Amino acid sequence: ALSVPDKQVDSVCPYCGVGCQLTYNVKDNKILFVEGRDGPANQSRLCVKGRYGFDYAHHPHRLTKPLIRRAGMPKTGDFTMDPDRVLEVFREATWEEALALAGGKLATIRDTHGGNALAGFGSAKGSNEEAYLFQKLVRTGFGTNNVDHCTRLCHASSVSALLEGIGSGAVSNPVMDVTRAEVIVIIGANPTVNHPVAATWIKNAVRTGAKLILLDPRRSELARHAHRYLQFKPDTDVALLNAMMHVIVTEKLVDEAFIASRTIGYEQLEANVAEYSPEAMAPICGIDAETIRYVARLYATSKGSMILWGMGVSQHVHGTDNARCLIALALMTGQIGRPGTGLHPLRGQNNVQGASDAGLIPMMLPDYQRVDNPVARARFEAAWGATLDPKPGLTVVEIMDAIDHGQIKGMYIMGENPAMSDPDANHARASLAALEHLVVQDIFLTETAYLADVILPASAFPEKTGTFTNTDRLVQLGRQAIEPPGDAKQDLWIIQQIANRLGLPWNYGHVSEVFDEMRHTMASIGGITWDRLEKNGAVVYPCVNEGDVGQPVVFTELFPREGGKARFVPADIIPADERPDAEYPLILITGRQLEHWHTGSMTRRASVLDAIEPDPVALVHPLDMERMGITPGAPITIASRRGEVVLYARADDSSPVGAIFVPFCYYEAAINRLTNAALDPFGKIPEFKYCAIKVTPG
Ligand code: SF4
């Protein structure tokens, strides 16, 4: 019977950072269905994406042959969802021809203009091994550090604050630790939608007595489970968090012994929060002083308080300051370094942690070794047999600007879709179109691939084997279940072919050879062997030696900073870059929705998920709808100073009055055409969570 699988393959979910383990049930090279498996992060649970979001791999839009742009075809328009018209713009080519053109032109640009005329975007959807090889290719083959990926758009500010404050950008405690916490603080995150299985652990914890404090301008589903929900005004995180710290300081709820023995810089923090009394901040953040006092006391005095946050914190021009405040809260109360405490920035994509660890970022070599540190650089130069550029490279948005200035002329993009995901996407698309040479490696003709000169058909998640690191620092094995369609190839093979054409004599046979090289250059995973992964499926890092069991909870004795001490960094209020005004009186907040993942290239081609949420929607408060004469379900136009889109209005009172929420997954209403590319100065993350818009019916 059709429904009886002929094989079962254990793997992990391709979507969010929770990293649920699952089993593919396969027949005749097709995935029939997926079941949850008893992994450390999910214990057999799956959400709707994990359970139903797999048939994208069999979608007829899959790229099955290399494509080369036809001579003279302009880089405008968009037939990404119309495969019949794709061949008007591109012609099919052999792998040999496509690779010769892709690699040859990248080499010519490098040789003519220098390595810094090139850049690469890798992907948090790819494996650790793909991320590692991709950044190694850019650094040693292109000769530049201009390599980045979507971490820049999600938690770069959090990581910047964490590295500065506690010496490590990863989480201190796993999500599951919520079940050991007395108080759980969630700020700027909507786990029910974005980390659904993690949300179930949070609800379980509440059921067994934990108190959930939810801080968010948008009321998420978790508000129903919260002990207190504080709907603070958008963009006022620092005011609220500094007011909480003011209470903790003035009411002497600080952990003096922890501060004295394990931190530096407390005096500056204490002086800074003196001005931020709850009474002074209440009108700014919209939360009454007594409530601020109550939640501050609760957080500080519990036996174990844990903070989890998401992009509501990070995607601001003050994202790093927001995270600095969260770190300071944990440090001043000693709520870190024990089970059921700590700091957990919820990672978005399934491998954004691992891709960052592997060095897919412009200022860091693998394992967060700075490129401008001569000792670290020398170590990688010896390991890789290459000379490395000591100058940190450009970040995602900076690369688009550098294309405008003629500085960057060629790019290689693997698995990312900046034409949809970058802020001010009209500008990003114009920049990509202006490149002399763009090579895109993907499984679908994404909006970015449409602007390419050469498109290389790659493998989908169930078509390859590799390791993926979840939000808890768990390195997990994803196993190949099916073969890629047509002439599509494994991503690791494609990266190596490009490397060969840039003069690198790479010849990794099996993905485990790449992993082995990684663990010998990255101390944090030095003890994780491929055999161990095959046997256990998952190992948490730090895991330095082969006998180590790994450390789910870190910072128990020392912080990985100079002297082993964490550092307080005070923050003051910095307003959003673009405030509402008479012409653009509303606020736009962008994000994700449960059924669709990021730019939608996979989930919108997953039949069940697409059936549940098929059309672009904007969530508008009913009072705003009434005021603007908008009917639920009717089309509306949303415009900012950078562009406009048309989508459908959905009445939703979870957003505050005056703020419109729009998911960024819909190509036909690509909301990032409207967002602001203003950057946080430290993490270089754009301000996706706040820009000025106007809305009109129709
Ligand atoms: Fe996949 Fe995340 Fe859902 Fe788990 S919670 S099934 S990892 S999308």
Side-chain angles (χ1 to χ4, degrees):
L2 183 68
S3 58
V4 178
D6 53 28
K7 70 172 172 178
Q8 295 187 309
V9 180
D10 292 340
S11 190
V12 291
C13 176
Y15 294 110
C16 87
V18 175
C20 297
Q21 294 195 4
L22 50 73
T23 300
Y24 291 116
N25 288 272
V26 179
K27 183 180 174 64
D28 298 335
N29 205 40
K30 280 226 175 325
I31 300 168
L32 296 179
F33 59 95
V34 167
E35 294 170 301
R37 200 156 56 91
D38 189 13
N42 66 313
Q43 297 180 7
S44 302
R45 299 178 186 191
L46 291 178
C47 79
V48 67
K49 285 189 287 284
R51 194 169 292 282
Y52 297 113
F54 55 85
D55 62 341
Y56 72 91
H58 308 304
H59 196 278
H61 285 181
R62 281 294 300 274
L63 295 169
T64 57
K65 293 228 180 282
L67 297 172
I68 291 176
R69 180 172 290 276
R70 292 182 187 278
M73 284 307 296
K75 294 182 175 180
T76 56
D78 189 347
F79 301 148
T80 54
M81 299 299 275
D82 189 351
D84 294 340
R85 300 196 63 187
V86 167
L87 291 180
E88 292 176 23
V89 182
F90 298 94
R91 67 177 173 82
E92 292 180 349
T94 63
W95 270 104
E96 194 45 54
E97 185 189 10
L99 288 167
L101 180 61
K105 277 217 170 182
L106 291 171
T108 302
I109 291 171
R110 175 196 63 188
D111 298 342
T112 310
H113 303 284
N116 285 322
L118 294 173
F121 289 166
S123 174
K125 290 199 285 284
S127 67
N128 287 328
E129 296 75 25
E130 289 162 4
Y132 175 85
L133 267 204
F134 189 90
Q135 62 85 34
K136 184 177 168 184
L137 163 65
V138 172
R139 292 195 153 105
T140 64
F142 291 7
T144 178
N145 289 309
N146 294 336
V147 62
D148 210 352
H149 76 294
C150 66
T151 192
R152 192 65 43 210
L153 309 178
C154 64
H155 266 308
S157 47
S158 307
V159 171
S160 158
L162 288 164
L163 285 170
E164 168 193 72
I166 58 179
S168 163
V171 302
S172 68
N173 297 57
V175 169
M176 202 66 89
D177 256 23
V178 294
T179 57
R180 301 200 270 185
E182 271 190 14
V183 172
I184 305 164
V185 174
I186 299 183
I187 174 166
N190 186 355
T192 310
V193 163
N194 299 315
H195 304 83
V197 168
T200 69
W201 301 124
I202 294 163
K203 292 175 200 174
N204 285 169
V206 169
R207 193 167 299 152
T208 53
K211 288 191 166 68
L212 171 62
I213 307 296
L214 187 67
L215 314 174
D216 207 308
R218 289 189 67 229
R219 191 189 69 246
S220 67
E221 184 267 349
L222 277 183
R224 293 197 286 141
H225 305 263
H227 177 68
R228 287 289 186 281
Y229 167 48
L230 278 59
Q231 187 168 30
F232 64 96
K233 293 181 189 171
D235 198 41
T236 64
D237 318 56
V238 169
L240 174 62
L241 297 171
N242 272 352
M244 286 175 65
M245 287 192 272
H246 176 98
V247 174
I248 292 166
V249 169
T250 54
E251 297 190 8
K252 303 202 182 322
L253 304 176
V254 294
D255 184 336
E256 286 175 4
F258 189 94
I259 292 170
S261 62
R262 301 204 50 191
T263 71
I264 57 170
Y266 175 68
E267 294 72 22
Q268 293 92 312
L269 191 282
E270 184 182 34
N272 191 63
V273 298
E275 292 173 15
Y276 288 86
S277 71
E279 289 70 22
M281 292 303 107
I284 294 173
C285 64
I287 304 297
D288 66 87
E290 206 39 52
T291 301
I292 297 173
R293 287 186 185 281
Y294 177 77
V295 298
R297 289 171 193 145
L298 202 64
Y299 174 81
T301 58
S302 97
K303 288 205 187 83
S305 294
M306 183 172 177
I307 301 175
L308 300 99
W309 74 94
M311 275 148 243
V313 164
S314 62
Q315 290 177 333
H316 289 278
V317 290
H318 49 80
T320 301
D321 282 337
N322 292 348
R324 284 169 172 157
C325 291
L326 297 174
I327 294 163
L329 263 173
L331 294 177
M332 65 166 43
T333 52
Q335 295 285 17
I336 190 165
R338 290 174 283 122
T341 67
L343 297 162
H344 191 118
L346 283 156
R347 278 348 201 260
Q349 302 220 37
N350 76 333
N351 200 37
V352 72
Q353 180 65 59
S356 304
D357 299 342
L360 208 57
I361 37 183
M363 58 293 285
M364 305 282 188
L365 295 158
D367 236 3
Y368 304 95
Q369 303 295 301
R370 287 199 60 92
V371 295
D372 50 11
N373 175 342
V375 177
R377 209 170 52 250
R379 202 162 63 77
F380 279 94
E381 285 178 336
W384 292 344
T387 303
L388 298 174
D389 188 346
K391 196 166 133 281
L394 300 174
T395 57
V396 167
V397 174
E398 290 173 330
I399 285 171
M400 295 301 158
D401 293 338
I403 297 170
D404 296 349
H405 297 133
Q407 181 190 336
I408 288 180
K409 300 174 187 300
M411 279 193 77
Y412 178 18
I413 299 178
M414 175 184 74
E416 293 255 294
N417 193 5
M420 283 287 291
S421 59
D422 268 26
D424 193 4
N426 285 335
H427 170 250
R429 291 178 191 208
S431 301
L432 292 168
L435 284 166
E436 280 179 26
H437 186 52
L438 173 60
V439 180
V440 173
Q441 176 175 325
D442 215 310
I443 61 172
F444 293 115
L445 188 78
T446 61
E447 293 68 26
T448 300
Y450 189 79
L451 301 170
D453 297 280
V454 183
I455 302 171
L456 305 173
S459 42
F461 193 84
E463 295 161 1
K464 55 193 176 186
T465 293
T467 64
F468 298 82
T469 306
N470 81 345
T471 190
D472 297 334
R473 295 180 267 104
L474 262 182
V475 182
Q476 307 199 93
L477 196 56
R479 295 180 176 88
Q480 182 175 4
I482 53 175
E483 292 297 324
D487 289 344
K489 297 281 191 193
Q490 300 252 334
D491 294 77
L492 272 187
W493 181 86
I494 304 172
I495 298 168
Q496 289 196 72
Q497 293 299 314
I498 295 285
N500 292 163
R501 282 154 184 83
L502 285 154
L504 300 171
W506 292 357
N507 186 22
Y508 298 90
H510 188 263
V511 58
S512 59
E513 293 172 28
V514 182
F515 183 80
D516 211 47
E517 180 177 315
M518 289 176 67
R519 79 182 190 92
H520 284 104
T521 55
M522 298 170 63
S524 63
I525 59 167
I528 306 178
T529 63
W530 192 262
D531 282 351
R532 196 168 161 186
L533 285 169
E534 285 202 318
K535 198 161 141 235
N536 299 346
V539 183
V540 69
Y541 78 78
C543 179
V544 178
N545 299 308
E546 289 190 24
D548 290 354
V549 290
Q551 293 176 47
V553 178
V554 290
F555 317 139
T556 49
E557 286 167 15
L558 295 172
F559 291 98
R561 290 186 79 258
E562 214 180 310
K565 293 192 175 185
R567 178 180 162 213
F568 286 97
V569 182
D572 284 311
I573 296 171
I574 297 170
D577 180 71
E578 185 183 64
R579 307 285 301 176
D581 56 21
E583 194 181 357
Y584 295 93
L586 301 170
I587 299 164
L588 173 67
I589 301 174
T590 65
R592 292 163 290 187
Q593 61 186 159
L594 173 63
E595 294 79 5
H596 289 305
W597 194 243
H598 286 227
T599 68
S601 58
M602 289 154 66
T603 51
R604 294 202 72 200
R605 292 175 172 102
S607 54
V608 174
L609 302 177
D610 186 51
I612 300 172
E613 283 288 4
D615 295 314
V617 289
L619 275 50
V620 187
H621 196 286
L623 293 175
D624 283 328
M625 292 185 116
E626 195 180 324
R627 188 174 50 77
M628 294 187 286
I630 294 167
T631 314
I636 56 172
T637 301
I638 305 183
S640 77
R641 289 185 173 80
R642 293 159 291 279
E644 66 176 42
V645 297
V646 177
L647 31 57
Y648 299 103
R650 180 178 289 173
D652 185 295
D653 68 357
S654 62
S655 296
V657 172
I660 314 288
F661 178 82
V662 181
F664 66 95
C665 58
Y666 293 100
Y667 69 91
E668 62 275 54
I671 197 64
N672 276 320
R673 292 179 186 274
L674 276 60
T675 49
N676 187 1
L679 299 180
D680 170 286
F682 307 99
K684 305 284 176 78
I685 192 169
E687 191 152 62
F688 288 115
K689 289 291 187 272
Y690 201 105
C691 74
I693 54 165
K694 61 183 172 188
V695 175
T696 46

